[in-house]
Amino acid sequence: MKQIFATIFVGMVVALFAGPLQSFAQTADTVWVPASPEGNITNFINGDTTSTGARNNPNRVYQLYDDSVYYYTGGTYNGIVVNGYHLTIIAPTPAPGHYPPEINPMIHNDGSITYHFIEDYQGSITLKNLYIQGVRPDEATGGSYAIQLSGDTNSVISADSCVFDGWYFRAIGGAGTHNSYYFSNCKFMNGTDPGGQFDGQVWGILSGAIADTVSFTDNTFFCNNSYLLMLSGTALCRYLDFNHNTVFLGVVNPLWLFQAVNANITNNIFYGTFAGGAIPAEIVGGWYDTDGQPPAVISLDTLSTVGSLYNLTEADRHINVIDNAYYWPKQLTDFYTHWNDSVTTAKADSEIITPPVWMNSRTAAMFGDKQMWPNFDSSGNVEVDPQFPSSAMGQVDSLVQYVYLDRANQLGTYNWWYIPEVNAANGNNGPYPGVWPLPWSLAYTNSSLMQASTDGKPLGDLNWFPSQLPLPVQQLPKTVPTKFALSNNYPNPFNPTTTVKVTLAKSGVASLRVYNVLGQLVKVVDQGYKPAGSYVYNINMDQFASGVYFYSLQQGPNIITKKMLLLK
C-alpha cells in the first residue's frame, strides 16, 4: 500500500512541480530561414501566420544557415514575439572552418535598436547552435535582453550550444510562474556596461515570479559584470542545478540566491569573481549582502518572506555546495593591497576595499547548524588556481583597470569587455562582430582539478575537455514509433548507473527527470526539443545516496513515471 501511495504521490508532484509542457496538435515541420538580402529573422518568424493571424504551424522548427548573419528588429522592446506557440530556432553544429549563424540587432533609421531579441508572452522556446549578439553593429552597448519573459506560465526555455554575447542588462529573465529554464554547453560573455556594475547579468526573475526548475550544466561565463543567477525579492526557484560551469571574472555577486530552497551548486570553478569587493558604505547599506557581511561568492540567508509566502521552513531546504574551486588572481589581490595602502586614515571609513571571500560567516554558520538546516552540505570546496591559458588571462588586467577606475570615480566610458585581436587590429572598440571559433580558451592545466568533481571528471565546463563530456543519450536507428513509452531501467537495483529507453511518437519538447521519494526533483537527465524516435539514456546517480528514486518522462500532457532502486 505504501508503494502504491508513493507512486501516486510522486506522479502528482511531477505534474505539479514540473508543470505541463506546452503541446500543440499539429506535427512539427522544418522551415529554413533565408539569410539574404538582410536576413531579417524577426519579420520572417513574426510573419509566419495565416490571414487570421494564427500561426501557420505552432510547432514549426526554424532552421538557420551556418556561415550566415541575421538581424532582428521590431518596436522599442519587442523583437520576435512568442504568444501561444513554441518557438524553435536551431542550426547545424558548425563543421571545422565554419561558424554558427550570428544574430545581431539592426540599427533603425532613427539610430535606435529593438532591445529584446525574443519577447515571450506565452510559449516555450528552444534554441540550439546560435551566436546571439547584443552589441550593436556600430560597436555600442545594445540589446538589454536576449529572452524576456512577460508573465509566462508553464513555459520551458531551453538553449544548447549557444553563445550569448554582449547583453548589457540581462541575457535571460523576466516574470511569470512555473516556468523552467535549461541551459547547457553555452557561452555567456561580455555582459558588461560602463554605466553600471549591476548590469551585465545572465539569468534572473523578478520579485514574485516562480521558476520550477533552473538548470545550468557545462556552461562558461566569461567577463560578466553582475549576477549570473538572481532571485529578486520574493522570487522563488523550486529547484536549481548549477553543475560543471566555469565562471571567469566578474565585478559583483555571481550568485544572488539568498533564499534558495533546493539547490545543487557542484563541480564549478569561480575565478576572479566579485572583483569589485565592497567599501564600508556599501557593506553598511546592504548593497551586496545584509548583516554587515563581506562580499562572498556563496551567501545564503533565512527564507524570511519567501518562507511565509509559500509555507516553507528552513528544514524544507536542500542546499548542496560541493566540490567547487575558487581563486582570485594575484593582479587582483595585489590591487586590493596597493589601493588600501594608499588610502589615508581620514578616508579609511569610506574608501577601504574589503576583498571578496568564498563564504561569509552567516552562511558558514547555516551549513554548520544541522539542527536548523539538516539538509545543507558544504564539502570539497577548495581555493586553487586552475592555471588558465594566456589567451584569456589578458582580461584580468582589463578587469583590474575597470575596478580601479570605478573606485576612483573615473570610470567614464571605459568598458572591460573582451575585444578579439582581429577586431582591435581594425580599430574597433567592441566585440562586434562575433569571432568564431572563440579566440580564447579556459582549458586549464592544474592537474589537481582534473578528477576533482563528484563524477571523477574535471571541475568546470567539460566542453574545455571534450573527451570528458558525458554521453547520456544515444539515438537508436530511425524508425517510426507508434507510441509514447518509457522502459524499465536496467539493471535495477543499480550502482551507480542504469539505462532506460525512451520512445517519442512525435517531435516536440520532452524531459526525463529523476525525483526522490519526497517528490523533489534531484536530477535533470535531459530536456529540450527532440525529433520523434527512440533514445537510450545512461543515468548516473553516483553523487546520490542509496534509496528509491522515480524517473519521469514528460512530453506535453503525457507523463510516465517509474521506480528505480540505487544500492551502494
Side-chain angles (χ1 to χ4, degrees):
M1 185 64 183
K2 289 183 179 180
Q3 291 180 348
I4 295 174
F5 175 78
T7 303
I8 294 173
F9 171 75
V10 170
M12 292 172 64
V13 171
V14 169
L16 175 62
F17 286 92
L21 299 180
Q22 294 172 350
S23 177
F24 305 93
Q26 198 165 347
T27 302
D29 61 6
T30 299
V31 171
W32 287 82
V33 180
S36 61
E38 61 180 16
N40 192 322
I41 189 173
T42 312
N43 290 349
F44 187 94
I45 294 178
N46 284 348
D48 188 19
T49 61
T50 67
S51 59
T52 65
R55 301 300 301 178
N56 280 316
N57 186 342
N59 282 323
R60 177 156 287 169
V61 175
Y62 296 97
Q63 182 129 355
L64 308 189
Y65 293 92
D66 57 2
D67 299 326
S68 299
V69 175
Y70 294 82
Y71 292 92
Y72 72 89
T73 183
T76 302
Y77 295 102
N78 297 351
I80 296 175
V81 177
V82 178
N83 197 356
Y85 74 100
H86 184 175
L87 174 65
T88 301
I89 308 176
I90 63 174
T93 301
H98 297 265
Y99 63 87
E102 184 172 315
I103 303 171
N104 306 307
M106 177 183 289
I107 299 179
H108 304 152
N109 291 335
D110 64 359
S112 68
I113 65 167
T114 297
Y115 289 119
H116 304 161
F117 170 43
I118 300 174
E119 187 79 23
D120 189 349
Y121 292 100
Q122 185 64 59
S124 293
I125 299 170
T126 300
L127 308 176
K128 186 174 179 64
N129 293 327
L130 310 177
Y131 195 121
I132 308 172
Q133 177 83 269
V135 180
R136 296 162 51 115
D138 59 5
E139 304 291 330
T141 300
S144 58
Y145 275 93
I147 304 173
Q148 159 78 340
L149 276 71
S150 299
D152 298 50
T153 301
N154 296 326
S155 294
V156 176
I157 311 303
S158 174
D160 180 66
S161 302
C162 293
V163 177
F164 295 86
D165 188 358
W167 293 91
Y168 85 87
F169 178 58
R170 182 182 296 154
I172 303 102
T177 58
H178 300 297
N179 300 313
S180 292
Y181 305 79
Y182 301 87
F183 294 91
S184 56
N185 310 303
C186 293
K187 304 293 186 289
F188 300 91
M189 55 189 289
N190 290 321
T192 68
D193 179 15
Q197 61 181 217
F198 294 102
D199 291 339
Q201 303 170 22
V202 172
W203 174 90
I205 55 176
L206 302 178
S207 185
I210 300 174
D212 281 347
T213 301
V214 177
S215 176
F216 282 83
T217 303
D218 287 314
N219 303 284
T220 290
F221 303 83
F222 183 83
C223 303
N224 298 283
N225 265 16
S226 191
Y227 320 121
L228 309 182
L229 305 176
M230 185 189 71
L231 298 175
S232 299
T234 59
L236 174 68
C237 177
R238 296 189 185 278
Y239 175 75
L240 167 68
D241 187 34
F242 193 76
N243 180 47
H244 271 300
N245 300 289
T246 298
V247 180
F248 184 80
L249 307 185
V251 180
V252 302
N253 314 56
L255 306 174
W256 187 277
L257 302 170
F258 299 105
Q259 298 189 71
V261 178
N262 296 302
N264 291 317
I265 301 172
T266 53
N267 305 321
N268 305 291
I269 293 177
F270 296 88
Y271 184 90
T273 61
F274 220 146
I279 60 176
E282 294 168 348
I283 294 176
V284 173
W287 283 37
Y288 316 110
D289 210 322
T290 58
D291 304 328
Q293 293 289 331
V297 177
I298 303 296
S299 184
L300 298 172
D301 204 344
T302 58
L303 290 178
S304 64
T305 54
V306 169
S308 59
L309 280 174
Y310 300 103
N311 195 29
L312 296 168
T313 69
E314 297 300 325
D316 292 326
R317 304 172 76 181
H318 292 71
I319 308 291
N320 295 311
V321 181
I322 299 174
D323 289 351
N324 301 282
Y326 56 96
Y327 194 76
W328 288 274
K330 188 174 186 298
Q331 298 101 303
L332 190 58
T333 57
D334 284 350
F335 163 74
Y336 298 139
T337 300
H338 295 155
W339 175 274
N340 289 341
D341 286 347
S342 69
V343 173
T344 63
T345 302
K347 293 185 177 181
D349 289 341
S350 61
E351 295 185 0
I352 287 288
I353 297 175
T354 298
V357 296
W358 167 243
M359 184 179 293
N360 60 38
S361 59
R362 182 192 63 231
T363 305
M366 292 171 69
F367 278 97
D369 187 344
K370 295 303 181 183
Q371 182 174 356
M372 181 68 74
W373 291 278
N375 301 307
F376 275 33
D377 185 3
S378 174
S379 58
N381 302 298
V382 293
E383 185 172 6
V384 176
D385 183 358
Q387 300 170 9
F388 288 119
S390 59
S391 61
M393 291 303 294
Q395 283 305 106
V396 175
D397 292 333
S398 297
L399 173 60
V400 172
Q401 178 72 358
Y402 178 92
V403 174
Y404 166 76
L405 292 173
D406 185 35
R407 290 306 182 191
N409 295 315
Q410 300 174 14
L411 191 58
T413 60
Y414 179 81
N415 203 331
W416 67 285
W417 55 20
Y418 179 83
I419 304 175
E421 291 182 8
V422 64
N423 285 5
N426 295 329
N428 294 0
N429 58 10
Y432 182 96
V435 175
W436 193 267
L438 295 175
W440 47 271
S441 170
L442 294 181
Y444 57 82
T445 57
N446 191 324
S447 60
S448 69
L449 302 182
M450 291 298 181
Q451 296 178 315
S453 67
T454 56
D455 50 17
K457 296 182 177 183
L459 292 185
D461 181 356
L462 294 178
N463 286 284
W464 300 112
F465 305 95
S467 65
Q468 298 295 317
L469 282 168
L471 299 173
V473 57
Q474 172 191 2
Q475 185 167 10
L476 299 177
K478 288 191 174 181
T479 59
V480 181
T482 59
K483 62 180 181 179
F484 174 80
L486 177 65
S487 74
N488 294 326
N489 65 300
Y490 180 84
N492 193 30
F494 65 96
N495 178 27
T497 62
T498 188
T499 299
V500 300
K501 179 181 177 181
V502 165
T503 302
L504 303 177
K506 63 179 182 180
S507 302
V509 173
S511 66
L512 181 62
R513 311 177 190 184
V514 179
Y515 298 81
N516 62 22
V517 293
L518 298 178
Q520 296 165 327
L521 179 64
V522 297
K523 188 180 185 72
V524 178
V525 180
D526 197 13
Q527 163 72 40
Y529 178 87
K530 288 283 182 295
S534 297
Y535 302 84
V536 172
Y537 291 87
N538 294 314
I539 302 177
N540 189 326
M541 301 288 286
D542 184 56
Q543 67 187 91
F544 297 97
S546 296
V548 173
Y549 293 87
F550 297 87
Y551 59 104
S552 180
L553 174 67
Q554 181 174 7
Q555 186 183 44
N558 300 313
I559 301 175
I560 301 175
T561 300
K562 295 193 174 186
K563 182 173 64 174
M564 60 184 181
L565 178 61
L566 172 62
L567 286 181
K568 292 187 174 182

